[in-house]
Amino acid sequence: MRHLMSPLDFSREELEQLMDLAEDIKNHPDSYSEKCHGKKLATCFYEPSTRTRLSFEAAMLNLGGSVLGFSSADSSSAAKGESVSDTIRVISSYADICAMRHPKEGAPLVASQRSLIPVINAGDGGHQHPTQTLTDLFTIRSLRGEIKDLTIGLCGDLKFGRTVHSLINALVRYPGIKFVLISPEELKVPEYIREDVLEKNGYEYKEVDSLDDVMGELDILYMTRVQKERFFNEEDYIRLKDFFILTPEKMKLAKENMMVLHPLPRVNEISVDVDDDPRAMYFTQAKYGVFIRMALILTLLELV
Amino acid sequence: MRHLMSPLDFSREELEQLMDLAEDIKNHPDSYSEKCHGKKLATCFYEPSTRTRLSFEAAMLNLGGSVLGFSSADSSSAAKGESVSDTIRVISSYADICAMRHPKEGAPLVASQRSLIPVINAGDGGHQHPTQTLTDLFTIRSLRGEIKDLTIGLCGDLKFGRTVHSLINALVRYPGIKFVLISPEELKVPEYIREDVLEKNGYEYKEVDSLDDVMGELDILYMTRVQKERFFNEEDYIRLKDFFILTPEKMKLAKENMMVLHPLPRVNEISVDVDDDPRAMYFTQAKYGVFIRMALILTLLELV
Amino acid sequence: MRHLMSPLDFSREELEQLMDLAEDIKNHPDSYSEKCHGKKLATCFYEPSTRTRLSFEAAMLNLGGSVLGFSSADSSSAAKGESVSDTIRVISSYADICAMRHPKEGAPLVASQRSLIPVINAGDGGHQHPTQTLTDLFTIRSLRGEIKDLTIGLCGDLKFGRTVHSLINALVRYPGIKFVLISPEELKVPEYIREDVLEKNGYEYKEVDSLDDVMGELDILYMTRVQKERFFNEEDYIRLKDFFILTPEKMKLAKENMMVLHPLPRVNEISVDVDDDPRAMYFTQAKYGVFIRMALILTLLELV
């Protein structure tokens, strides 16, 4: 039995198979509409995350399966002091596969060690959110044909943004990727990402503090939220945030086939005026997240 | 693609078709039990409303479809500052149709403008609650055969009661309706309802401050809650509320085929002793709410 | 139409039929996977109880039915002052059967009196939790072949533990059961259990204050939580709790075919090191809870 704790749990070959399957699901959804008939997904969300939870639920329902679970810790036995290990043992009797979101790093891993059913880490604190990374990779591959020879800009909070770290870690397994890291000084990627991931693997990167300077080079622009609470003071936040807000004006500097991604939810870092630009692919990305989760559920349930 | 924001979105002819369909569903539920196989309803409830949410869910399940969603804003991405426009764009990838309840007037309308799937307004603040009005109309039509030549008493809080305003607006499209408006002075219908809706359309109405005086005239008595918090002081509330509480004694004054409706939940404005009176139709009304919602889902999904 | 309010609602013969059915479901789950196709279970949980709610939901989904409901009072019409009687009348139009958990004793009974569909008491305050008792009986019967000639130790908080009282009440209908009541002085079973249930029915029992002394005699050890808040002071709690914590050392004193049960969730009263002991059956018990609930749903819906 297999779990998914980190996007790196899959070898590149396995990842290709998973994405091939997601692509086939995307193109022939009807062929998969009864594959999980009689199977149950448990969504165990110890902290709310509507988007991720509903994406998993949509995936399971699309496969003809059904869903049970909880959407916050208040309504779970956690409030009575039960460990995740015990909860997953019981959930193992209720469902065939489990997607777990937990505020504590490592909680899904602990759960997976006692589980009798496959566990998918649906986000554990600031640590991992592997199905977001799979979504990002699949979106790039599906829209570009392959993940290769691309200049990828990552913009926003690169210091604390779990999504960005995870995506960089996943992309350094593909050839010809150049990274452009766009953030205020205070929110640059951590040293270990620069040294242990990018440099150690011999990947080209540069760090800049303004979107405008690099828009023209990018094949992909991956935007993330700059959360107010990351700044020491309100002034810094106001001074800096505009450098990292994507507007139609900035889009004019970009390549014609550039594509904009965003893990969502967005607050104001992408102007809504950009939404109608054909290069704005973040809602498509949300849609593709369902396909890759369908592929993942089928793979972990060994129904492929 | 079509949404439902207000009960007046449908022409009278369309409304007749919708109610014909609901009537057929009521009489032949089994013929509809697989109509939405493979379809998904998203219930996006930014404020709790168990009754309305469960009525939608029952409707979709009765049609063989499935349901996902959230039942309060806490457990949604709204807490992270996402706009309803963005949420509905994402939900469009997860579901085939959406029922949205929101505390802010107009939020479902804003959502519908960006949505790729039909959106049903399941209540927006004090503004609209169109499926309640459709339920009311369908109940009257189904039990009476047609909506015509009826004296309809509306009793309780007619000033703030969204349900009542919406129902009056809908009823002034039918012939021969006489309105009897029963409320304390403080809670009479707003002037615009009297002038712009009733008088302008040439409908007969009278305003009274006691149920007893008019019971004998009514074909339908539509009761609503008189909420304590609407009164300036406790004394007024206590003094007034009994005039508007329906009891078995008051029922003795009513016609034999009169029928009592209520949007529910009730608190104490209808004595539970009235429940067993065959003229008490408010639980039947709740049941018919499922049929009209089934008809609505089928219509908006163009599965008719 | 029949409801389940107390485990004693069923005669011994009916209980045997129910457990025969659960046993058949356990052995041939596929034969039951479409029995409730088109049927809906409403889970009306006025207080959170993830385990019980998910067990019911898994049961209904396993039978091919579907589920709707609410998982806490906040998100229900209760917040608007609606009575459970009214709620169940409306739910009767939405679902075919209802499982209700309520913090107030007797609330499910009140609901059942107005309901048009079968109501299952899924726990009402400190009063009853009949499907837990059915789970306990079925687990014993399924693993032992029959409920007869057994020495059963009940350990922990025997004073306030609803589960324990209910189980004792149910077991005094079977022959040859000896009870060993293991608890601190402060948490002994109430007098009415000793006098009116055990003595009156002529059952043998003894009360001890240490697990070690009796481990060797037991065929079944039923563990329960000793809740900190039951003690007058922290010192008493710390002094006493270890006497009632099950450890691998204590397990060495037990019979080879003894079995350990626990209603779960556990906090620390069973060491996790006991989990791998083949005599630890509490997770199996959780699994069997789904089978007995499936049997119960089928029985109350008269689909047997």
Side-chain angles (χ1 to χ4, degrees), chain C residues 165-227:
Chain C
H165 304 167
S166 191
L167 182 56
I168 292 172
N169 262 296
L171 283 170
V172 294
R173 303 204 286 181
Y174 293 89
I177 307 295
K178 290 181 200 168
F179 294 91
V180 182
L181 307 170
I182 309 148
S183 75
E185 182 66 27
E186 292 87 339
L187 297 176
K188 284 167 73 172
V189 290
E191 200 176 294
Y192 83 90
I193 293 278
R194 280 199 306 275
E195 295 184 1
D196 297 349
V197 183
L198 292 169
E199 291 168 14
K200 195 172 151 196
N201 287 289
Y203 277 78
E204 214 178 296
Y205 73 95
K206 65 176 172 184
E207 297 185 284
V208 301
D209 62 4
S210 163
L211 250 178
D212 290 43
D213 297 348
V214 293
M215 280 298 278
E217 307 169 22
L218 306 177
D219 297 305
I220 289 163
L221 171 58
Y222 195 95
M223 296 291 298
T224 64
R225 267 186 298 165
V226 177
Q227 291 176 280

Side-chain angles (χ1 to χ4, degrees), chain C residues 86 108 122 143 159 177 185 241 285 290 298-299 304:
Chain C
D86 276 18
L143 294 174
K159 184 172 183 184
I177 307 295
E185 182 66 27
K241 73 181 172 61
Q285 185 183 2
V290 179
L298 287 174
T299 301
V304 185

Side-chain angles (χ1 to χ4, degrees), chain A residues 34 48-55 57-58 61-62 71-72 101 225 264-267 272 275-276 283 286-287 290 293, chain B residues 37-38 40 44 66-71 74-78 80-83 85-87 89-91 93-95 114:
Chain A
E34 300 293 335
S49 174
T50 312
R51 180 181 313 288
T52 302
R53 180 171 62 80
L54 295 186
S55 182
E57 296 192 8
L61 295 172
N62 285 348
S71 55
S72 71
R101 158 80 57 134
R225 265 186 299 165
L264 303 180
R266 115 179 105 178
V267 180
V272 293
D275 293 2
D276 293 327
F283 292 119
K287 184 175 174 182
V290 178
R293 286 184 178 94
Chain B
H37 183 77
K40 283 163 286 149
C44 297
S66 50
V67 179
L68 46 77
F70 51 91
S71 55
D74 322 331
S75 58
S76 84
S77 296
K80 296 179 189 161
E82 185 174 64
S83 68
S85 299
D86 275 18
T87 300
R89 275 298 294 272
V90 174
I91 294 290
S93 295
Y94 295 169
R114 293 293 293 170

Side-chain angles (χ1 to χ4, degrees), chain A residues 8 18 24 52 72 75 81 111 117 136 138 157 159 182 240 248 250 252 264-265 280 292 295 303:
Chain A
L8 303 181
L18 188 77
D24 196 60
T52 302
S72 71
S75 59
I117 59 174
D136 299 340
F138 175 60
D157 175 359
K159 185 172 182 184
I182 309 149
L240 288 166
K250 289 198 180 73
K252 284 183 194 149
L264 303 180
I292 196 78
L303 293 172

